[in-house]
């Protein structure tokens, strides 16, 4: 195939005549199927004698060539359509494209580089072994064009193609060449030199990936290579940064600085020790860049004095591209605790002042945020995905406040006072941008509100002066900005700032601020920024001020927020919903009227119907419905149920397998109504309305979320109003509600899918607790089904669901249950054998406060029963430590070669081991009075010979460190004084259960003493079979 034929075809694809163009495109598609098409195209790319207009019309052949490679080169590519060229032709094409890397036309070089990178992904190293050497030769040539082309390939190549054993040899050849290019500004463009740093950064990342495999080689490489590059970076950064942005046609020079700071951040993360000697110089350079480049930032970005120039390769290079990695680097160094003494005095003041300046809203921000509410909300949310100078600046401030709280917050005070004075002067001088620095300073101090409030409290508690006077700002400065409607961003920021520090407001002033925010919501002329800021402020105020101040305004706020629900979306809708959720919680919703409740439910369901796939919205909507349903005001619960339940039941009933998320969310919303109901019950007819749709859905669905939410909903129904379930019967089948609940459990037990996990166990437990008498007739079948399923269950959560109900029954009716299990036969094994084996293997993985306790209590009951059937059972004991596995991290392959083996012990011995584990894992070993002497008795081999006496007594910590950790960590790693220690999953019933409220430590110690005194179950012989550490714990417990 001749190149000329393709050239004609390509020319015709550019024809202004539509018919000619379409015919040419169809013909071209056919030509590309020929095996020699790729060679013709590659020759066309290089043919300088081809009609110049064709090459210059954007290097069309090279674009088509790249498309040809992805569609016809190899099945390696997903878009492959067949007709691959022969190996000989491929070699010719590769050679031709490689020549294109040195083409005088930049676009041709770039497209050839991208094409070579694509081919390398597929062919290197097996079919294209000389690529690396050829590229390094090209880099070593003195031709700027060739170096530019080769660098573009390397940028892609190092990132994706080098394997572990290729990295080190390649870097030995490559890095010196890169350094030569970086150090030759008179020969190579700034953009090419910046690419050397980008490739170097990828080399550093590659070294980090293989440092465990080749520790010595990587150590040598970092010791010899990094210092040279770091010296080069310091030299480049010491050149005045203004030279790259002033009196120059482009900002290409910034590209080098951008890549340097990105690379420094990478080195700080991967090889921080290499960076330590250079840190102070590099931090000073960063600070110098912040101050030197700020006038340029103000001119181009704040005042829009001119548009930012494009790079020489027509790419965008922005000042913000430099400042973000620079701030990240400084923040990471501060976070690491290195160069502490640099972050003091003038440096700290300069950094904070620099951040306050650089986080100002640009004119582009102003334009976008004024018209796009979602963008305005998103830029300040904690989980924003859009990274910006503002986010990077706030992150740095957070680290500085954490590292030097008083010094940083005092600097906030002096900086914001200076900004207030300067802004006033600018305003009086008629500068229209006078508000920007003020808005930024308030945003900066507001972004650290929690930490600043903590610092103020700490200083005042210690009898020292406040490092910042927020009250003065709230009383004398901020009120003046609340009425500046012609400066909406400053006006809105003032509201948000006041709400972030609402805890410091006296009641009367808080009420005035809240009233002002509500007036903004009601003002028709207020624009997006102010209204969104007012919603955000109301959200914060309602969380941070006394209910007494908020209650009089709550009905008005709820009515004002309602109209926003149908007209907002995405981030703004999330904010509005979160605010509504906070408002309906004020004073437990005692102020809500039936009309208001009805209108909120209608609005909430409308939002759900439009966004029924969004988990964030559904989560907030369930909070709103639960708060409404739990309002103690007369008639509110009934109104909410009347308005919501029929709609939700219809949604559950009409949902299909294709849109199962609708049923899943509808069940979740129903659960929120049940959660909100008073303990006295769900009200007449609730279950009768819900049951047909809920059971029909659970009978047919295979969707995991629907099953989990459905079972969780049934569990709540059992807890809140078991009588409705027992008394209701299905009018079509005559089955009772209880029969249908048991049917759901049976289906889960028979299913191979164990995603029901913990929820099915919760349902069984509450059924046994609440409907014990009603369940009795079917209890034997239920227990048989659970024991049978134990043999095949695989996941820890599902096994827990099967075991814990037995623990509950044994704790309450030990002998009846044991007799039942002894008489149960499953494939020749007794039910008791299956249960005890499974229990002993999984007891240490149980989750939740109540389950772990009920398991321990039931094990006490089993041990004390002294039944022969239990004494004769042998179960899995401790791991057998072999010489070849001692002190070795066991990977999957090593475990295959040397499988883990366990001892076998009698059940009574295992029961005591588990109880001792429970005693210690509850954080109780320390409070049992163990001391260094007891610990020293243990035959230890954990390398703690270096510990001091104090550390030995406190498990390797100093006494005050250990006390701090003990406060932090409670039972199973949860703080004793942490309300969440009784996990989210542990519902109110279980929190108030005697099992949760009893003194577990005292009970276990008393149990062990009693066993020792009576020699229960031949206790002394059992203790002899424990390991040395366990024997010490038993002795200590018994003698206490």
């Amino acid at each position: 195939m001749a190149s000329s034929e393709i050239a004609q075809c390509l020319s015709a694809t550019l024809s202004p005549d539509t018919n000619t163009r379409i015919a040419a495109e169809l013909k071209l598609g056919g030509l590309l199927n020929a095996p020699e098409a790729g060679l013709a195209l590659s020759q066309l790319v290089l043919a300088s004698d081809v009609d110049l207009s064709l090459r210059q019309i954007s290097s069309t052949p090279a674009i088509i060539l790249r498309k040809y490679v992805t569609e016809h080169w190899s099945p390696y590519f997903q878009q492959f359509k067949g007709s691959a060229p022969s190996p000989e032709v491929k070699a010719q094409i590769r050679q031709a494209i490689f020549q294109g890397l040195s083409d005088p036309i930049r676009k041709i070089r770039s497209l050839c580089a991208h094409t070579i990178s694509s081919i390398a992904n597929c062919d290197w190293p097996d079919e294209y072994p000389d690529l690396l050497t050829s590229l390094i030769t090209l880099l070593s040539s003195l031709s700027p064009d060739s170096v530019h082309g080769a660098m573009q390939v390397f940028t892609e190549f190092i990132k994706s193609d080098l394997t572990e054993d290729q990295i080190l040899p390649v870097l030995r050849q490559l890095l010196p060449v890169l350094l030569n290019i970086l150090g030759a500004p008179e020969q190579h463009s700034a953009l090419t030199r910046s690419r050397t740093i980008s490739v170097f950064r990828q080399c550093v990342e590659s070294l980090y990936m293989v440092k465990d495999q080749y520790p010595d080689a990587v150590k040598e490489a970092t010791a010899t290579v990094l210092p040279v590059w770091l010296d080069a970076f310091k030299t480049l950064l010491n050149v005045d940064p203004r030279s790259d942005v002033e009196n120059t046609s482009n900002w290409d020079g910034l590209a080098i600085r951008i890549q340097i700071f990105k690379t420094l951040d990478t080195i700080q993360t991967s090889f921080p020790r290499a960076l330590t000697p250079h840190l102070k110089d590099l931090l000073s350079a960063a600070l110098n860049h912040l101050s030197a480049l700020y006038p340029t930032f103000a001119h181009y970005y704040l005042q829009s004095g001119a548009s930012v120039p494009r790079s020489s390769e027509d790419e965008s290079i922005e000042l913000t591209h430099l400042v973000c990695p620079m701030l990240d680097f400084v923040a990471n160094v501060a976070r690491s605790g290195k160069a502490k003494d640099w972050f003091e005095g003038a440096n700290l003041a300069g950094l904070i002042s620099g951040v306050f300046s650089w986080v100002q809203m640009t004119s582009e921000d102003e334009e976008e945020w004024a018209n796009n509410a979602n963008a305005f909300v998103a830029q300040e949310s904690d989980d924003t995905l859009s990274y910006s100078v503002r986010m990077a600046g706030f992150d740095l401030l957070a680290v500085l406040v954490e590292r030097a709280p008083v010094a940083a917050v005092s600097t906030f005070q002096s900086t914001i006072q200076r900004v207030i004075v300067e802004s006033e002067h600018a305003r009086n001088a008629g500068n229209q941008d006078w508000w920007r620095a003020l808005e930024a300073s308030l945003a900066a101090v507001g972004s650290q509100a929690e930490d600043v409030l903590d610092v103020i409290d700490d200083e005042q508690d210690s009898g020292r002066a406040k490092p910042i006077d927020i009250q003065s700002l709230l009383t004398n400065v901020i009120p003046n900005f609340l009425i500046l409607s012609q400066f909406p961003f400053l006006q809105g920021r003032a509201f948000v700032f006041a709400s972030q520090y609402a805890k410091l407001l006296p009641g009367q002033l808080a009420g005035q601020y809240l009233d002002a925010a509500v007036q903004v919501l009601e003002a028709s002329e207020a624009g997006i920024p102010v209204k969104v800021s007012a919603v955000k402020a109301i959200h914060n105020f309602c969380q941070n001020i006394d209910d007494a101040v908020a209650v009089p305004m709550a009905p008005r706020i709820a009515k004002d927020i309602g109209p926003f629900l149908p007209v907002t979306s995405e981030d703004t809708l999330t904010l509005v919903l979160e605010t509504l959720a906070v408002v309906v919680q004020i004073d437990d919703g005692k102020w809500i009227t039936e009309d208001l409740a009805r209108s909120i439910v209608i609005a909430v369901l409308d939002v759900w119907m439009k966004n029924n796939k969004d988990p964030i919205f559904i989560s907030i909507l369930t909070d709103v419905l639960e708060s409404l349903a739990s309002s103690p005001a007369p008639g509110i619960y009934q109104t909410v149920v009347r308005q919501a339940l029929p709609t939700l039941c219809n949604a559950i009933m009409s949902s299909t397998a294709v849109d199962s998320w609708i049923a899943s969310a509808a069940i979740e919303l129903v659960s929120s109504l049940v959660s909100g109901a008073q303990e006295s019950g769900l009200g007449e007819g609730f279950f009768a309305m819900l049951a047909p749709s809920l059971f029909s859905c659970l009978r047919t669905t295979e969707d995991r979320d629907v099953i989990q939410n459905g079972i969780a909903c049934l569990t709540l129904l059992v807890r809140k109003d078991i009588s409705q379930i027992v008394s209701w019967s299905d009018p079509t089948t005559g089955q009772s509600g209880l029969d249908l609940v048991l049917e759901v459990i049976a289906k889960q037990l028979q299913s191979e899918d164990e995603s029901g996990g913990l929820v099915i166990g919760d349902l069984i437990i509450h059924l046994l607790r609440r409907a014990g008498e009603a369940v009795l007739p079917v209890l034997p079948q239920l227990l048989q089904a659970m024991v049978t399923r134990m043999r095949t269950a695989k996941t820890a959560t599902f096994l827990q669901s099967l075991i814990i109900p037995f623990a509950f029954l044994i704790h309450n009716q030990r002998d009846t249950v044991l007799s039942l299990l002894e008489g149960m036969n499953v494939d020749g094994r007794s039910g008791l054998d299956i249960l005890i084996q499974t229990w002993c293997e999984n007891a240490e993985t149980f989750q939740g406060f109540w389950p772990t306790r009920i398991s321990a209590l039931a094990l006490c009951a089993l041990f004390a029963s002294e039944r022969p059937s239990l004494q004769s059972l042998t179960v899995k004991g401790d791991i057998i430590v072999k010489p070849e596995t001692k002190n070795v991290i066991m990977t999957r392959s090593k475990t295959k070669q040397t499988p883990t083996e366990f001892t076998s012990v009698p059940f009574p011995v295992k029961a005591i081991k588990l109880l001792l584990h429970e005693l210690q894992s509850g954080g109780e070993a320390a409070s049992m009075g163990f001391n260094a002497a007891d610990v020293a008795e243990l035959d230890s081999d954990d390398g703690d010979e270096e510990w001091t006496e104090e550390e030995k007594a406190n498990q390797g910590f100093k006494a005050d460190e250990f006390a701090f950790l003990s406060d932090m960590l409670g039972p199973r790693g949860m703080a004793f004084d942490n309300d969440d220690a009784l996990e989210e999953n542990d519902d109110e019933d279980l929190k108030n259960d005697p099992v949760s409220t009893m003194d577990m430590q005292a009970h276990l110690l008393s149990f062990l003493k009693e066993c020792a005194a009576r020699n229960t179950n031949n206790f002394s012989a059992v203790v002899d079979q424990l390991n040395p550490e366990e024997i010490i714990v038993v002795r200590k417990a018994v003698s206490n």
Side-chain angles (χ1 to χ4, degrees):
M1 177 191 297
S3 301
S4 55
E5 190 178 356
I6 287 190
Q8 283 173 347
C9 210
L10 288 172
S11 295
T13 61
L14 303 171
S15 165
D17 177 59
T18 310
N19 293 335
T20 310
R21 198 167 61 248
I22 292 171
E25 284 167 0
L26 290 170
K27 185 180 179 188
L28 183 63
L31 289 175
L32 291 181
N33 286 325
E36 63 274 21
L39 189 56
L41 267 173
S42 57
Q43 289 163 348
L44 194 59
V45 168
L46 300 178
S48 49
D49 56 340
V50 169
D51 176 9
L52 194 60
S53 64
L54 183 61
R55 287 192 93 208
Q56 286 180 336
I57 296 173
S58 86
S59 38
T60 313
I63 294 171
I64 302 293
L65 180 60
R66 198 172 176 197
K67 184 171 184 286
Y68 169 81
V69 167
T70 54
E71 291 182 359
H72 298 286
W73 192 264
S74 159
Y76 170 87
F77 296 104
Q78 282 182 328
Q79 303 98 310
F80 183 65
K81 293 179 178 176
S83 310
S86 65
E88 296 74 28
V89 173
K90 278 187 177 181
Q92 291 174 279
I93 295 173
R94 284 194 293 258
Q95 192 180 351
I97 303 171
F98 194 88
Q99 276 179 264
L101 294 177
S102 306
D103 196 276
I105 297 177
R106 181 175 53 78
K107 279 188 174 173
I108 300 272
R109 292 198 299 273
S110 296
L111 282 157
C112 286
H114 289 312
T115 309
I116 285 278
S117 297
S118 298
I119 291 174
N121 285 336
C122 168
D123 292 1
W124 187 83
D126 300 340
E127 293 167 48
Y128 199 177
D130 56 348
L131 171 63
L132 265 181
T133 3
S134 308
L135 282 171
I136 289 171
T137 307
L138 213 53
L139 285 182
S140 309
S141 73
L142 296 176
S143 154
D145 288 345
S146 302
V147 170
H148 172 259
M151 279 312 309
Q152 287 189 298
V153 179
F154 265 117
T155 310
E156 298 288 319
F157 187 74
I158 298 284
K159 201 182 296 179
S160 53
D161 285 286
L162 288 183
T163 60
E164 284 88 341
D165 48 350
Q166 293 159 340
I167 286 169
L168 289 163
V170 169
L171 299 195
R172 285 195 189 100
Q173 283 181 277
L174 177 62
L175 290 177
V177 181
L178 293 181
L179 199 57
N180 289 339
I181 296 169
L182 178 62
E186 62 293 337
Q187 269 180 290
H188 301 291
S189 72
L191 294 180
T192 294
R193 290 166 62 224
S194 77
R195 285 190 189 102
T196 64
I197 304 171
S198 169
V199 172
F200 171 69
R201 181 171 70 256
Q202 285 152 27
C203 294
V204 172
E205 287 168 0
S206 302
L207 279 173
Y208 181 66
M209 277 161 40
V210 300
K211 74 181 176 67
D212 293 335
Q213 260 173 300
Y214 308 103
D216 295 337
V218 169
K219 199 172 181 182
E220 182 204 337
T222 51
T224 52
V225 171
L226 290 182
V228 185
W229 281 81
L230 288 169
D231 285 336
F233 289 168
K234 284 198 292 191
T235 305
L236 291 166
L237 291 178
N238 285 336
V239 176
D240 187 346
R242 287 173 293 198
S243 61
D244 290 336
V245 292
E246 292 175 8
N247 307 317
T248 168
S249 60
N250 58 50
W251 289 0
D252 288 8
L254 286 184
I256 293 174
R257 298 174 193 270
I258 291 167
Q259 293 302 335
I260 288 177
F261 278 108
K262 284 184 173 180
T263 305
L264 290 175
D265 205 26
T266 299
I267 298 172
Q268 168 63 24
T269 308
S270 44
F271 301 105
R273 194 173 291 172
L275 209 51
T276 306
H278 307 272
L279 279 178
K280 290 184 181 176
D281 291 340
L282 294 168
L283 290 167
S284 298
L287 183 55
N288 175 47
H289 277 60
L290 280 180
S291 56
L293 293 171
Y294 175 70
T296 307
F297 175 69
H299 176 72
Y300 283 91
Y301 293 86
L302 303 182
Q303 297 143 16
S304 296
S307 57
V308 174
R310 303 284 291 176
S311 78
S312 58
E313 295 186 10
D314 202 29
E315 293 167 355
S316 139
I317 295 180
E318 306 277 353
L319 265 181
T320 50
H321 296 169
L322 168 62
V323 175
C324 281
M326 196 156 69
L327 294 176
D328 284 347
F329 167 66
V330 176
N332 283 337
V333 175
R335 197 176 278 118
S336 73
K338 302 266 174 64
K340 277 184 197 171
D341 53 344
W342 187 89
F343 290 94
E344 292 174 357
N347 288 338
L348 181 68
L351 263 187
I352 289 174
S353 173
V355 169
F356 275 45
S357 299
W358 279 88
V359 298
Q360 288 180 75
M361 279 174 61
T362 64
S363 47
E364 192 180 302
D365 292 335
E366 187 184 356
E367 194 176 319
E368 184 185 12
W369 297 346
N371 302 307
N372 184 339
N374 288 327
F376 181 56
V377 176
Q379 53 90 22
E380 256 178 62
S381 70
D382 292 335
D383 49 2
T384 181
L385 296 174
S386 59
Y387 202 59
S388 62
V389 173
R390 188 166 266 213
M391 289 295 103
F394 291 171
D395 180 51
L396 173 55
L397 292 180
V399 180
L400 296 176
V401 173
E402 184 188 330
R403 285 282 165 193
V406 178
V409 174
S410 303
T411 309
F412 286 2
Q413 168 76 9
S414 53
T415 308
I416 202 163
Q417 289 301 333
R418 173 178 58 74
V419 170
I420 290 168
V421 173
E422 288 172 359
S423 300
E424 190 59 30
H425 288 326
R427 186 182 184 182
N428 294 337
N431 182 340
Q432 282 303 297
D433 289 321
W434 67 272
W435 58 273
R436 285 186 200 278
L438 257 178
E439 188 278 337
S441 301
L442 293 175
V445 178
S447 72
Q448 311 304 318
E450 280 186 41
D451 290 336
V452 170
L453 288 167
D454 287 345
V455 174
I456 292 172
D457 287 345
D458 291 346
E459 289 302 285
Q460 288 190 306
D461 291 347
S462 307
R464 293 187 288 268
K466 291 181 293 188
I468 186 169
D469 191 353
I470 299 285
Q471 277 101 331
S472 168
L473 290 173
L474 293 174
T475 311
N476 305 320
V477 178
I478 303 298
N480 304 323
F481 303 150
L482 299 181
I483 49 173
L484 294 180
S485 53
Q486 68 273 43
F487 299 104
F489 287 103
L490 178 60
Q491 184 188 14
R493 175 62 54 198
F495 278 114
V496 174
F497 179 85
S499 69
Q500 287 167 318
Y501 288 98
K503 286 176 182 169
L504 300 177
L505 286 169
Q508 189 183 355
L509 192 53
Q512 290 169 359
Y513 267 112
L514 186 57
D515 184 55
V518 175
Q519 284 180 32
V520 167
L521 280 195
E522 294 168 350
S524 54
E525 69 281 1
I528 285 175
V530 185
K531 288 213 169 185
V532 168
S533 299
V535 173
K536 198 181 288 185
I538 289 167
H539 177 267
N540 294 341
F541 279 128
C542 291
Q543 280 186 310
N544 295 326
I545 61 179
D546 288 343
D547 279 355
V549 177
V551 165
M553 305 189 66
R556 180 177 159 202
I557 295 171
K559 280 181 190 142
D560 288 343
I561 287 175
F564 284 91
L565 290 171
V567 296
T568 50
S569 63
E570 298 172 25
D571 294 287
T572 316
L573 178 54
T574 303
L575 173 65
V576 172
L577 283 171
E578 284 173 342
T579 306
L580 180 61
V582 171
V583 172
V584 294
Q585 286 172 355
I586 295 171
D587 197 26
D588 297 330
K590 290 174 191 155
W591 48 273
I592 296 172
T593 62
E594 290 187 32
D595 281 348
L596 182 59
R598 196 177 296 110
S599 62
I600 292 176
V601 172
I602 291 169
V604 159
L605 291 178
D606 182 54
V607 169
W608 171 59
M609 285 169 188
K610 291 175 185 166
N611 304 277
N612 55 27
K613 254 184 169 174
D614 191 309
I616 293 172
F617 288 149
I618 292 163
S619 166
I620 306 169
L621 294 172
T622 55
D623 291 345
V624 174
L625 281 184
E626 184 176 343
S627 297
L628 287 173
S630 62
S631 165
I636 300 301
Y637 170 74
Q638 292 79 358
T639 303
V640 172
V641 169
R642 260 198 312 275
Q643 196 65 54
L645 191 58
T647 307
L648 295 172
C649 290
N650 287 339
I652 296 169
M653 188 62 99
S654 55
S655 172
T656 63
V658 182
D659 55 9
S660 57
W661 64 84
I662 294 177
S664 176
I667 294 171
E668 230 178 307
L669 293 168
V670 170
S671 292
S672 67
L673 298 177
V674 182
S675 295
Q678 301 302 313
E679 290 302 318
S680 55
L682 297 172
E684 198 179 334
F686 189 105
F687 189 73
M689 180 177 285
L690 170 65
S693 54
L694 182 59
F695 286 122
S696 165
C697 175
L698 288 175
R699 195 175 288 124
T700 54
T701 187
E702 295 299 324
D703 183 274
R704 291 180 171 194
D705 290 338
V706 177
I707 292 169
Q708 288 191 1
N709 288 345
I711 294 172
C713 182
L714 281 176
T715 307
L716 278 170
L717 291 162
V718 168
R719 281 180 48 211
K720 284 286 172 107
D721 205 337
I722 186 68
S723 59
Q724 280 201 40
I725 296 176
V726 173
S727 60
W728 179 81
S729 60
D730 187 331
T732 52
T733 64
Q735 287 176 289
S736 73
L738 194 56
D739 291 337
L740 290 167
V741 172
L742 290 165
E743 193 180 280
V744 170
I745 294 171
K747 183 186 172 197
Q748 274 305 107
L749 293 178
Q750 287 156 15
S751 166
E752 287 186 15
D753 182 3
E754 298 182 6
S755 58
L758 285 175
V759 287
I760 193 71
D762 289 344
L763 175 56
I764 296 170
I765 286 286
H766 284 293
L767 206 55
L768 296 173
R769 292 177 84 239
R770 293 281 180 167
E773 293 297 318
V775 176
L776 271 181
V778 293
L779 190 58
Q781 297 98 294
L782 176 61
L783 298 185
Q784 171 102 25
M786 288 163 67
V787 167
T788 306
R789 186 66 174 88
M790 266 179 214
R791 296 177 316 144
T792 54
K794 294 181 180 67
T795 58
T797 49
F798 193 61
L799 281 160
Q800 178 175 331
S801 280
L802 298 172
I803 296 164
I804 293 301
F806 281 101
F808 169 75
L809 289 169
I810 287 167
H811 176 56
N812 288 288
Q813 297 175 343
R814 180 187 69 193
D815 295 332
T816 313
V817 177
L818 290 179
S819 300
L820 193 65
L821 286 165
E822 285 166 350
M824 199 181 283
N825 185 304
V826 181
D827 295 343
R829 285 176 68 190
S830 81
L832 185 64
D833 178 27
I834 295 170
L835 170 68
I836 295 299
Q837 297 283 356
T838 315
W839 192 339
C840 290
E841 272 192 47
N842 293 279
E844 290 177 2
T845 65
F846 291 162
Q847 298 172 28
F849 192 74
W850 188 88
T852 51
R853 289 183 148 224
I854 198 75
S855 170
L857 290 173
L859 287 171
C860 292
L862 289 173
F863 185 85
S865 73
E866 301 188 290
R867 283 173 92 100
S869 56
L870 285 170
Q871 287 170 315
S872 61
L873 281 178
T874 304
V875 296
K876 192 185 277 189
D878 299 329
I879 289 181
I880 298 172
V881 180
K882 302 175 186 171
E884 63 268 32
T885 61
K886 192 172 184 181
N887 299 329
V888 173
I889 295 170
M890 294 301 285
T891 60
R892 235 179 263 172
S893 57
K894 283 179 185 162
T895 308
K896 272 185 190 167
Q897 292 161 9
T898 319
T900 307
E901 292 178 25
F902 293 84
T903 59
S904 291
V905 296
F907 166 70
V909 175
K910 182 69 175 183
I912 295 296
K913 282 176 175 286
L914 291 171
L915 292 172
L916 293 174
H917 179 266
E918 180 62 28
L919 188 62
Q920 289 174 289
S921 66
E924 287 139 353
S927 55
M928 280 165 59
F930 284 113
N931 57 37
D934 300 315
V935 178
E937 285 181 50
L938 304 183
D939 179 18
S940 168
D941 187 27
D942 59 2
D944 66 354
E945 292 81 359
E946 301 299 312
W947 286 2
T948 63
E949 288 304 310
E950 181 188 20
E951 287 170 332
K952 281 181 184 172
N954 295 299
Q955 300 172 28
F957 296 97
K958 297 279 188 281
D960 55 345
E961 293 171 339
F962 188 73
F964 171 71
L965 281 172
S966 297
D967 284 346
M968 292 289 288
L969 297 173
R972 307 240 161 163
M974 287 177 291
F976 286 118
D977 59 354
N978 178 357
D979 294 339
D980 297 328
L982 301 174
E983 289 182 2
E984 292 290 321
N985 303 338
D986 285 342
D987 50 55
E988 288 302 319
D989 288 20
L990 297 182
K991 284 182 187 177
N992 300 325
D993 188 84
V995 171
S996 296
T997 55
M998 69 186 288
D999 183 339
M1000 195 63 177
Q1001 182 192 3
H1003 176 83
L1004 290 176
L1005 292 173
S1006 156
F1007 172 75
L1008 291 171
K1009 282 180 188 172
E1010 196 171 322
C1011 288
R1014 297 185 178 185
N1015 201 24
T1016 309
N1017 222 337
N1018 202 359
F1019 185 70
S1020 55
V1022 167
V1023 171
D1024 288 340
Q1025 297 177 64
L1026 301 175
N1027 65 38
E1029 290 93 333
E1030 291 164 342
I1031 291 172
I1032 289 177
V1033 177
V1034 172
R1035 281 187 198 149
K1036 196 73 194 169
V1038 170
S1039 63
N1040 251 6

